[in-house]
Amino acid sequence: MSAAGSLLVAAPFAAVLSLTVALRPRGTDAIAPLRLAVVRAAVVTGAFAVLAVELLGALRLLTLPAFAVAWLIFLTVAAGAAVWRRRRDGASGDPAAAARAGLARLAGRWRTAGRGERLLAGTVGGLVLVELLIALLAEPNNFDSQTYHLPKVEHWVAQRGLEFWPTAIHRQVTIPPGAEYLLLHLRLFTGGDALHNLVQWAAGVGCLLAAARIAAQLGGGRRAQLLTAFVLATTPMVALQATSTQTDLVCAAWVACVATLAVDGLRRRAGAGTLLLLGAATGLTAVTKTSGLIGVGPLLLLWGIGQLRLAYRGDPGRAGGGVPGRPVLVGVGAAGGAGAVEGGGHPAATTGAPRGGVAGTRAGPSRAAGVARTAAGSLLVLLVALTVVGPFLARVQAEFGHPLGPPRLRESIPMERHDPAAVLVNALRIGHTALDTPLAPVRAGTAEAIMEGARAIGVDPQDRAITFGREVFPVPAWYPDEDRVAFPLAGALALVGAVLALARPARVAPGAAGALRAYAVVVVAAVLLHTAMIKWQPWGNRLLLYALILAAPLAGLWLDALFRRRLAPGRRSVAAGLAATVLATSALAGVLALSYGFPRRLVGAGSVFTTSEWDARFLRRPQWADEFRVAADAVRASGARRIGLVQQNDNWEYPWWLLLRDADGRPPELVALESVLPDRPPAAPASTDAIVCTGSRAACVKLVPTGWALTWRGYVGYALPPT
């Protein structure tokens, strides 16, 4: 990576830092204002990154100079906004002094924290730092990334635009590309994939911050927020994905941003800035992973109901401002709020508003105006979301005649049956896989009970209408593999938290019972919608990650309430001791996931410290490593420039982009000899200088021109014309 590339890599981080300063909330009643500023900065930066790719791609300017200019302009604007904000607030112009003051506040909070809080914070911080180390040392080796995530990026770089291309792997063009848009920036800055894992790592940090803030918004104090972050950070799925080039954590992070902004809408009217942020976060979710919208939809509905309720009650305050007398959460009285801390205190105790009411309620025309304003704001949110995701949907619509892609995509993942019995069976299978444990008798017994129950109500447990592809239920999901690892501990804690939040919210969060119950309804609704809309699949736990992020605050809040009761004079709680044991086990699970997880681990076979770069890329399929290299060496030795690809929908394409590029990094000219895009025919085999094949030898033989020499090695083959 060049010196210029190093500076450009720092631009996104500098932009987020500057925007965090510029977008810090002005009101004194904001909950966890620093985390809110980080969420705002992340959404703005993410929206810029996506829209920059769309604009420059339309101009066929997906090049390093164009991206460098775009980021320098954006960073200049962000830095200028930060300087203006600090001057407006009368802050000192010395950034070093501001940094020292921030560190002093952090040290003060550490000194006032209890032993348990320090242990929670230290564990979370340690896991995040180890994940960062692995993310920097490990090469991208996720299976889907080899097939379509990273080849997308390489195709864009090669053609300098976003137009679709002939391909046998439809997921390269039909699956939403939001996460890959972010990778494209790093690819152009560095010339390679050395920093690609940092996108998911940053998304994981964002999930922790947003989830902890949601816990604060729902009345949780510092311990509840730390417990929320702890439950998430120690979940093996989160720890493993934070070091990969998958896309699930990126999607979950955008959903979490929507969630924390939506919960703010229960206590204050939304201004134009909040509406733009909500719309941008919704659009970022849609352009990253469509399944994330299952969680965003109920969250926006919650936000809309909260805004309408404030309008109906004639809320007198300005949108986004801190107005004395306003209740912290709609329908929640002032009593019982958590103590104020940055990090999350709840200023409810100082409001003085009557329970369930708003000081100075106005009626009449103001209500009608408030309702109209809410409707207009909702429309603005949708318009902004469409601005972010619209260009991609337009390309898919033009290519396939449907914004959701070809029939094979629309029918493979979404449920094709929606009768109650089928939905129930699908939900039970998804729950079984999500809560899987290493206890084989338990796994086998519960799976058999689910299948027998399904047959009893007339549903085939392997029905293709509710099961992805040719997969067969059940599958073991307890092993720490980033694609399918279960989350029984975090899932169980979240389930208990959801039940208590619905049944007895006042015991969990006395100062925010109404908001807690409403939020729990949204989380439960999202999970139910997911099971009614998404087929069971062996790697379905990845698709549920956004729901786990949303549910984590419920776990943190009830655990805090449990420990709070235990610490009361004369109280001893078996449940609290059991919960502490579960948390200790969860910490062990997180550590083991990073130490021995697959396909990136600290120790043992395949360790990031002892495995060579090339072998690390093939840990999923080590037998293919030499096959790809031998074939690529032969093709390069032939002097071929235009190279034909023969592959099927789940084959690895990315190794060819690495092996066949020029010494100066110029990408090879790879053309597909098969295409599933009806209007984009494949290249003629005779027009190529060489052919490389993966998967099916028979498919390769059919396309090799007469007289060419075909060499086959297990999974990989290559064909060269006669010399």
Side-chain angles (χ1 to χ4, degrees):
M1 181 168 55
S2 65
S6 301
L7 293 175
L8 288 171
V9 166
F13 300 99
V16 170
L17 181 62
S18 298
L19 289 173
T20 298
V21 175
L23 299 177
R24 191 175 177 110
R26 295 192 182 99
T28 58
D29 67 337
I31 298 172
L34 180 56
R35 271 171 278 166
L36 175 57
V38 172
V39 167
R40 291 173 171 178
V43 171
V44 172
T45 304
F48 163 78
V50 168
L51 292 176
V53 170
E54 290 288 0
L55 177 60
L56 295 176
L59 299 174
R60 297 187 63 83
L61 287 174
L62 298 184
T63 62
L64 176 58
F67 273 61
V69 171
W71 273 103
L72 289 176
I73 293 174
F74 182 71
L75 181 57
T76 300
V77 173
V83 171
W84 176 84
R85 177 62 190 275
R86 286 179 58 80
R87 290 177 178 174
R88 184 181 184 278
D89 293 344
S92 169
D94 183 6
R100 287 193 296 271
L103 291 175
R105 288 193 297 269
L106 184 62
R109 294 192 187 98
W110 181 262
R111 286 193 298 270
T112 59
R115 182 183 303 173
E117 293 175 347
R118 291 183 181 182
L119 183 60
L120 292 171
T123 302
V124 173
L127 289 173
V128 169
L129 290 177
V130 173
E131 290 162 8
L132 175 60
L133 175 65
I134 297 175
L136 290 172
L137 293 179
E139 284 72 33
N141 58 4
N142 173 264
F143 195 102
D144 286 347
S145 295
Q146 307 284 358
T147 300
Y148 69 97
H149 289 314
L150 301 186
K152 277 186 191 179
V153 177
E154 296 302 324
H155 277 287
W156 294 333
V157 173
Q159 65 190 24
R160 300 187 178 186
L162 299 174
E163 63 272 13
F164 293 161
W165 52 89
T167 179
I169 304 174
H170 77 87
R171 292 177 294 173
Q172 291 183 358
V173 296
T174 57
I175 299 293
E180 292 89 339
Y181 282 174
L182 304 182
L183 292 177
L184 175 61
H185 294 265
L186 293 178
R187 167 65 176 85
L188 290 172
F189 292 164
T190 64
D193 58 18
L195 301 182
H196 278 9
N197 293 331
L198 291 185
V199 171
Q200 281 259 112
W201 177 83
V205 173
C207 287
L208 297 179
L209 295 176
R213 182 171 189 266
I214 293 169
Q217 292 171 285
L218 298 177
R222 181 163 57 190
R223 185 173 58 199
Q225 297 165 53
L226 288 172
L227 284 166
T228 297
F230 181 89
V231 168
L232 276 183
T234 56
T235 301
M237 176 67 79
V238 175
L240 292 171
Q241 287 238 354
T243 65
S244 81
T245 48
Q246 262 294 4
T247 62
D248 305 282
L249 264 183
V250 178
C251 173
W254 298 134
V255 175
C257 290
V258 174
T260 191
L261 294 171
V263 174
D264 271 343
L266 299 179
R267 59 186 292 268
R268 63 175 65 182
R269 298 297 302 280
T274 299
L275 296 174
L276 293 174
L277 289 168
L278 268 175
T282 300
L284 289 169
T285 302
V287 81
T288 301
K289 212 173 188 71
T290 309
S291 57
L293 294 177
I294 298 174
V296 169
L299 287 167
L300 291 181
L301 181 60
L302 174 67
W303 172 83
I305 292 173
Q307 293 290 287
L308 286 175
R309 189 171 182 183
L310 288 173
Y312 179 76
R313 292 189 171 196
D315 176 54
R318 300 185 307 274
V323 179
R326 180 180 301 159
V328 170
L329 291 165
V330 175
V332 180
V341 289
E342 187 325 289
H346 219 292
T350 65
T351 60
R355 175 171 290 273
V358 176
T361 299
R362 297 182 299 182
S366 62
R367 288 183 178 176
V371 171
R373 176 178 166 185
T374 300
S378 302
L379 180 60
L380 178 59
V381 169
L382 294 177
L383 289 175
V384 174
L386 284 175
T387 301
V388 176
V389 72
F392 169 71
L393 295 180
R395 288 194 298 275
V396 175
Q397 172 70 39
E399 191 72 34
F400 300 103
H402 195 288
L404 298 182
R408 65 184 301 177
L409 178 63
R410 304 198 303 271
E411 297 169 2
S412 61
I413 297 177
M415 287 275 284
E416 297 177 82
R417 288 182 58 178
H418 297 92
D419 54 289
V423 172
L424 175 61
V425 172
N426 193 55
L428 291 174
R429 295 183 306 164
I430 289 176
H432 178 275
T433 305
L435 302 177
D436 190 22
T437 71
L439 305 176
V442 174
R443 180 192 316 123
T446 53
E448 186 60 31
I450 291 172
M451 291 190 288
E452 289 297 329
R455 297 186 187 101
I457 60 177
V459 178
D460 179 0
Q462 313 299 346
D463 187 350
R464 296 302 101 187
I466 61 174
T467 305
F468 180 86
R470 300 178 182 178
E471 305 300 329
V472 177
F473 173 84
V475 295
W478 62 268
Y479 183 80
D481 183 307
E482 67 171 357
D483 281 339
R484 63 175 63 189
V485 61
F487 32 83
L489 298 177
L493 293 174
L495 284 174
V496 174
V499 170
L500 293 177
L502 292 172
R504 310 187 75 173
R507 293 189 62 179
V508 177
L516 176 60
R517 175 175 282 165
Y519 182 79
V521 168
V522 165
V523 173
V524 172
V527 174
L528 293 178
L529 285 172
H530 186 100
T531 60
M533 298 174 67
I534 305 295
K535 293 177 180 178
W536 175 87
Q537 50 192 284
W539 43 88
N541 292 341
R542 292 194 296 106
L543 305 183
L544 268 175
L545 194 53
Y546 75 90
L548 179 66
I549 304 298
L550 293 181
L554 303 178
L557 287 165
W558 86 262
L559 286 170
D560 178 62
L562 187 64
F563 293 139
R564 188 169 60 242
R565 294 183 65 200
R566 184 189 186 190
L567 294 176
R571 300 295 296 269
R572 292 293 183 269
S573 173
V574 174
L578 180 60
T581 303
V582 170
L583 290 177
T585 307
S586 183
L588 178 61
V591 171
L592 291 177
L594 290 177
S595 300
Y596 297 100
F598 195 73
R600 290 167 302 281
R601 55 175 55 171
L602 288 173
V603 297
S607 166
V608 295
F609 297 114
T610 60
T611 307
S612 68
E613 174 188 347
W614 188 248
D615 289 338
R617 295 180 183 275
F618 285 84
L619 284 175
R620 287 282 186 193
R621 299 291 187 271
Q623 68 274 21
W624 295 349
D626 287 339
E627 295 181 13
F628 270 98
R629 177 174 283 165
V630 169
D633 288 344
V635 171
R636 289 175 61 90
S638 72
R641 281 303 308 164
R642 181 176 169 86
I643 303 163
L645 290 175
V646 180
Q647 54 195 5
Q648 291 75 56
N649 188 54
D650 207 30
N651 290 173
W652 286 18
E653 178 183 315
Y654 186 59
W656 299 127
W657 290 98
L658 297 176
L659 290 167
L660 297 175
R661 66 176 52 172
D662 290 344
D664 61 359
R666 188 161 60 97
E669 185 182 359
L670 298 180
V671 295
L673 302 186
E674 298 174 295
S675 177
V676 294
L677 277 65
D679 297 328
R680 297 186 185 273
S687 70
T688 64
D689 304 323
I691 296 174
V692 292
C693 310
T694 51
S696 171
R697 188 178 191 274
C700 187
V701 169
K702 291 180 182 179
L703 291 169
V704 173
T706 302
W708 285 37
L710 173 62
T711 303
W712 195 265
R713 293 172 57 89
Y715 177 77
V716 176
Y718 64 94
L720 299 173
T723 55

